[in-house]
Amino acid sequence: MTTSTMSAANAVLGLAVLAWVLWRQVEVREVAADRSPRGLLVLAAFGAWTAAQALDGAAVSPVALALVVAGVAVSAGFGALRGRLQPVWRDASGRVLRRGNALTVVLWLTAIAVHVGVDALVARVDPGAAGLAGGSLLVCLAVSLTAQRLVVRERAARLAGDAAVPAPFAVAA
């Protein structure tokens, strides 16, 4: 598979994952039902694998690596912000629900734009590290979703009046 074919495939995969994430964000969902981290772990692992395959053993400069790490940190920040601003409420039956809105989508698109900018900067600083873009996007999505999930779950626990915040990665039975 050529580099341009891999880049196109990564772009299509990234856009498909983003569309799925945005669709899930604006659905009304019960917070307690969002327990398993398996999907996020798979997404992060696939992103890391994709990035490693794209690098194909090439060395990455410390500056490019620092930019990628900073991009992941920014993704976590956007996730925490979305988690803080996303509507969370209790319904008549006592279930705690959440649903993203236009602000949630704007924050997602802004985070993606920042990520694309960081990827462009990485490619400019270290052209050999340009292949990190597709994989790092998937890792950033997983990190951002995890941060959002943790903040929403903490808010939901307070709203529900629970004495203890549920474990962030408890697996649903």
Side-chain angles (χ1 to χ4, degrees):
M1 189 177 268
T2 67
T3 303
S4 63
T5 304
M6 280 185 67
S7 294
N10 287 341
V12 168
L13 178 62
L15 288 173
V17 169
L18 178 61
W20 178 77
V21 165
L22 289 176
W23 173 68
R24 300 275 293 178
Q25 290 287 302
V26 297
E27 284 185 311
V28 173
R29 304 212 36 223
E30 187 173 358
V31 175
D34 290 344
R35 293 191 180 205
S36 176
R38 285 178 283 226
L40 298 174
L41 292 172
V42 168
L43 185 62
F46 185 69
W49 178 81
T50 302
Q53 293 297 311
L55 289 175
D56 196 27
V60 177
S61 75
V63 173
L65 186 58
L67 286 169
V68 170
V69 170
V72 172
V74 167
S75 292
F78 270 105
L81 182 60
R82 282 191 320 274
R84 180 71 189 111
L85 297 175
Q86 186 176 68
V88 176
W89 69 95
R90 254 181 122 148
D91 71 2
S93 69
R95 295 180 312 155
V96 179
L97 305 172
R98 62 110 180 127
R99 180 181 186 179
N101 52 25
L103 180 58
T104 308
V105 172
V106 167
L107 288 171
W108 266 112
L109 295 177
T110 303
I112 297 300
V114 168
H115 179 81
V116 168
V118 169
D119 281 346
L121 188 55
V122 166
R124 185 172 183 146
V125 167
D126 184 355
L132 287 172
S136 67
L137 175 61
L138 297 177
V139 171
C140 286
L141 285 172
V143 167
S144 192
L145 284 166
T146 299
Q148 179 180 340
R149 177 182 289 183
L150 292 174
V151 172
V152 166
R153 289 191 64 184
E154 188 242 326
R155 289 178 58 216
R158 281 187 280 140
L159 184 63
D162 293 345
V165 175
F169 293 111
V171 177

